[in-house]
Amino acid sequence: MIEQLQKYKEELEKVAVMSAEEVEQLRIKFLGQKGILKDLFGAFKSVPNEQKKEFGRQLNELKNLAQEKISDLKSAVSDQEEEDGSINDLTLPGNYKELGARHPISLVRQEIIDIFAGIGFSISEGPEVEDDWHNFTALNFPEEHPARDMQDTFFVENKNGEEDLVLRTHTSSVQVRIMEAGNPPIRTISPGKVFRNEAISARSHCIFHQVEGLYIDKGVSFADLMQTLQYFASELFGPKAKIRMRPSYFPFTEPSAEVDVWWGLENESDYRITKGTGWLEIMGCGMVDPNVLINCGIDPNEYSGYAFGMGIERIAMNRYGIDDIRMFFENDIRFLRQFKSAF
Ligand code: PHE
């Protein structure tokens, strides 16, 4: 009899992974109304007295083992079902996960990047905390230029006190780094966050995003600049978009221009958006000043180049009819949710 108990134990110990059906069979076999354990407990009476103690002990062990083993097998089966997703109750509610939306600034930034990447511009990035050289001096800002003034620039306290650090006021700083690091031809755009110490209002913010572009090679002319920007405008605003350039001033470009795109003047909102002119100002541009090339180790007698820079918020505001720049930074879910279908 005791040998028989040993055999059952061994049988149980050997059992490995099973299907739900097989576990149930095993349970009936050992623990069921007419199962092995029931029989063995029944047989206890007829065990000779001197063996009763040992038999009883082993029988209890077998019972515990059978219960443990079967409950382990059952939970393994239900884990497996969960993993497989094969839970049988198809009426259970599903797991609904709401899809997020891209931020409108990311959408427009990506659109701009795609257009320039398509015509051979690489993407470059640089630090948001810059030194004076990369943000101003290399870009031909005179010492007393008002843009360096506390009005516009956030200065960063520098523990070493060695040089001035600022939060970059434009991503032209990245282009200085690119020019210093490599040889022409250079064809790159630098998207990124910029910072200006301005009062926050519906039209301006102390943080915004720019994409600036730079092209340097032999014989690059103003005509190349115009053609590239015309192409850009028609990709971004549609094939009918036309641009115009107005003379302007930037320390790092000569000549410099402001670029407007024809928006139209058909209804009241066109009047409002374009301040009654039909033209929308979208960026600054110009031929890279020879002083800037020299500062960055490029020979202006051999190379020339153009640069341009635009604010992403401005373009996104027009694209989506947003009239307050602050909405981009508030992270109001009701605002952000509206861009769900936009990608
Ligand atoms: N850096 C200028 C700005 O931030 C934009 C610009 C870039 C203008 C390149 C001309 C050429 O306003």
Side-chain angles (χ1 to χ4, degrees):
M1 283 288 250
I2 292 193
E3 274 166 35
Q4 189 58 40
L5 282 178
Q6 284 296 344
K7 280 208 185 111
Y8 286 138
K9 270 198 207 165
E10 279 163 26
E11 181 185 337
L12 277 173
E13 251 143 24
K14 264 190 250 152
V15 174
V17 188
M18 284 184 147
S19 69
E21 191 91 343
E22 289 166 326
V23 178
E24 183 58 8
Q25 295 293 338
L26 191 71
R27 188 191 67 78
I28 294 170
K29 182 172 169 193
F30 279 88
L31 303 173
Q33 283 304 327
K34 296 178 183 159
I36 291 168
L37 280 153
K38 191 95 180 170
D39 278 356
L40 290 170
F41 275 103
F44 187 70
K45 310 194 262 317
S46 49
V47 172
N49 274 347
E50 67 275 15
Q51 286 183 20
K52 272 207 160 83
K53 197 171 163 203
E54 179 62 11
F55 185 84
R57 193 179 62 77
Q58 296 231 18
L59 184 56
N60 272 320
E61 271 180 25
L62 180 67
K63 190 182 104 187
N64 292 340
L65 180 68
Q67 283 172 342
E68 230 173 76
K69 195 81 190 181
I70 284 162
S71 104
D72 284 357
L73 285 165
K74 272 192 185 160
S75 65
V77 167
S78 72
D79 284 356
Q80 190 55 40
E81 277 178 351
E82 262 174 44
E83 258 174 47
D84 295 352
S86 61
I87 294 171
N88 291 331
D89 187 355
L90 298 178
T91 63
L92 286 173
N95 287 331
Y96 175 68
K97 291 211 175 73
E98 201 179 348
L99 264 190
R102 295 248 174 98
H103 194 281
I105 295 299
S106 303
L107 290 170
V108 173
R109 180 184 54 198
Q110 195 53 46
E111 226 180 298
I112 297 170
I113 289 175
D114 287 345
I115 295 170
F116 285 107
I119 51 173
F121 281 76
S122 66
I123 318 297
S124 46
E125 290 184 345
E128 289 174 1
V129 178
E130 260 302 0
D131 49 41
D132 179 273
W133 170 258
H134 290 97
N135 198 76
F136 294 128
T137 306
L139 287 163
N140 203 32
F141 277 80
E143 277 298 330
E144 70 289 356
H145 195 281
R148 293 183 182 216
D149 198 279
M150 296 293 272
Q151 300 295 309
D152 297 308
T153 308
F154 286 111
F155 291 91
V156 178
E157 200 182 324
N158 184 2
K159 293 259 151 50
N160 304 326
E162 280 157 12
E163 53 180 349
D164 297 335
L165 292 179
V166 300
L167 293 185
R168 68 181 177 196
T169 58
H170 50 187
T171 58
S172 305
S173 55
V174 181
Q175 310 189 337
V176 172
R177 290 177 177 276
I178 298 287
M179 286 190 277
E180 285 174 337
N183 296 319
I186 294 169
R187 201 193 278 129
T188 190
I189 54 170
S190 4
K193 236 182 236 144
V194 300
F195 309 84
R196 291 191 195 170
N197 194 357
E198 300 208 27
I200 297 172
S201 71
R203 302 296 300 173
S204 64
H205 207 288
C206 57
I207 304 177
F208 57 101
H209 298 78
Q210 279 190 328
V211 177
E212 296 215 355
L214 176 74
Y215 177 34
I216 296 181
D217 203 346
K218 289 184 177 149
V220 177
S221 70
F222 204 89
D224 297 321
L225 172 61
M226 282 188 85
Q227 198 50 46
T228 306
L229 296 183
Q230 174 60 56
Y231 170 78
F232 167 73
S234 59
E235 287 291 301
L236 191 69
F237 295 100
K240 289 205 194 108
K242 40 175 192 184
I243 58 168
R244 75 174 184 189
M245 289 189 173
R246 285 176 290 110
S248 184
Y249 171 77
F250 299 101
F252 35 89
T253 47
E254 181 58 38
S256 305
E258 210 82 58
V259 182
D260 300 335
V261 62
W262 177 248
W263 180 261
L265 207 49
E266 274 159 28
N267 54 41
E268 204 192 321
S269 98
D270 293 346
Y271 269 86
R272 191 166 42 80
I273 290 167
T274 67
K275 295 182 193 134
T277 64
W279 292 96
L280 189 70
E281 186 190 315
I282 57 164
M283 68 172 107
C285 68
M287 300 305 291
V288 181
D289 192 299
N291 284 338
V292 175
L293 295 176
I294 294 169
N295 288 341
C296 300
I298 294 173
D299 181 357
N301 296 318
E302 200 177 345
Y303 292 105
S304 58
Y306 64 68
F308 55 86
M310 68 195 97
I312 300 180
E313 276 78 0
R314 170 83 63 93
I315 294 173
M317 285 167 86
N318 293 312
R319 156 84 29 117
Y320 299 119
I322 298 162
D323 51 19
D324 191 329
I325 196 172
R326 289 170 289 199
M327 302 193 94
F328 291 123
F329 300 92
E330 280 163 359
N331 279 334
D332 184 330
I333 201 83
R334 292 164 302 177
F335 170 73
L336 297 175
R337 199 172 262 153
Q338 297 175 59
F339 300 94
K340 230 180 211 178
S341 55
F343 68 97

